[in-house]
Amino acid sequence: MTCTACNGPRSRPRTPACPCPRARADARGGRPSRRRRRALALGATLATVLVLGGCASQAADRPQAARTAPQGAGTRTPVPTVSRRPSAAPVEETVAAPAPAPAPPADLARTDVDGAIAAGVHLLALLDHAYASGDTAPLLALSGPGCGWCRSMADQLGGGTVVSRGSSLLVHTPTSATAQDNADGTYVVELTTDESYLSSREVDGVAVLDLVSAQTYVFAFSVARTATGWQVDGVALR
């Protein structure tokens, strides 16, 4: 018989313990024998397998949480909607209707020299009306297609180059007139005219006109009698 602790012969075959120091230490509960160590190691291995197997089965039985993409991955960040305060309702500006065009003088219906002079006087009145209101249609209606001065004034007054709209007034006052008959239905009319610029202002609710400037001009009109009435074909200053 040999000792399992030291592999030496036992002193007494029937005695389970060997007298060697290592065997005695095993008998006293000190260092475990090799066979015992093997048994303990095998038991520890089995316990580890059982524990790992139990954890694996619990992990398999546990429901898996759904995976979500990290915030911002593959998606567009929504743009926050900015609420705007409603703008105030537009205030409707009340604009007074322009004054009607001046009525043609009675002499405009004549077919002689007096009719030609009336055409020149009326054209200046329509010029004053266009200056105050921007309404150039009556001025152009009395002008012939070849009157460049008439077209130029209509473009300035109707197109916004000169904007008065009642804040200032242009007034032509003829003081004398002469006319030359060309014996072909055309006339040359000369009008000596005082031209005044007036500024309008309100005092205690009453419109007051202030004289800004005044000059005297001599207008020369080329006037023709047509089948539909008089027309001004040209204007010049002398």
Side-chain angles (χ1 to χ4, degrees):
M1 297 295 289
T2 59
C3 178
T4 60
C6 63
N7 293 325
R10 292 182 181 179
S11 59
R12 291 181 292 182
R14 295 182 179 274
T15 304
C18 179
C20 67
R22 293 178 60 184
R24 289 197 299 269
D26 292 344
R28 289 194 302 266
R31 185 177 181 181
S33 65
R34 181 179 300 176
R35 182 177 298 174
R36 187 178 177 186
R37 288 198 302 271
R38 289 179 179 176
L40 291 174
L42 179 60
T45 302
L46 291 176
T48 303
V49 171
L50 291 177
V51 171
L52 293 178
C55 293
S57 65
Q58 290 178 6
D61 295 340
R62 186 182 301 119
Q64 297 293 327
R67 293 184 178 181
T68 58
Q71 185 177 3
T75 59
R76 294 182 179 180
T77 303
V79 179
T81 302
V82 180
S83 60
R84 297 180 178 179
R85 297 178 60 185
S87 58
V91 178
E92 296 184 1
E93 183 178 355
T94 302
V95 179
D107 286 346
L108 195 61
R110 297 173 64 99
T111 59
D112 54 7
V113 173
D114 291 337
I117 295 174
V121 172
H122 191 49
L123 185 74
L124 291 180
L126 296 178
L127 177 65
D128 297 346
H129 169 73
Y131 184 88
S133 65
D135 179 17
T136 60
L139 174 66
L140 293 174
L142 186 59
S143 306
C147 183
W149 183 89
C150 304
R151 300 289 173 181
S152 175
M153 296 304 298
D155 291 342
Q156 294 182 46
L157 300 178
T161 304
V162 178
V163 180
S164 64
R165 303 298 184 267
S167 60
S168 61
L169 300 176
L170 177 64
V171 178
H172 288 92
T173 306
T175 56
S176 64
T178 61
Q180 176 182 340
D181 187 354
N182 296 327
D184 59 356
T186 63
Y187 298 82
V188 176
V189 177
E190 291 187 358
L191 293 178
T192 302
T193 305
D194 292 336
E195 182 181 87
S196 303
Y197 285 94
L198 303 176
S199 176
S200 177
R201 60 188 177 92
E202 186 173 325
V203 177
D204 296 334
V206 179
V208 177
L209 295 177
D210 296 325
L211 179 63
V212 177
S213 65
Q215 293 180 343
T216 300
Y217 294 99
V218 177
F219 288 88
F221 301 92
S222 176
V223 183
R225 179 71 183 179
T226 67
T228 58
W230 294 100
Q231 73 178 24
V232 178
D233 293 328
V235 180
L237 289 178
R238 294 181 181 176

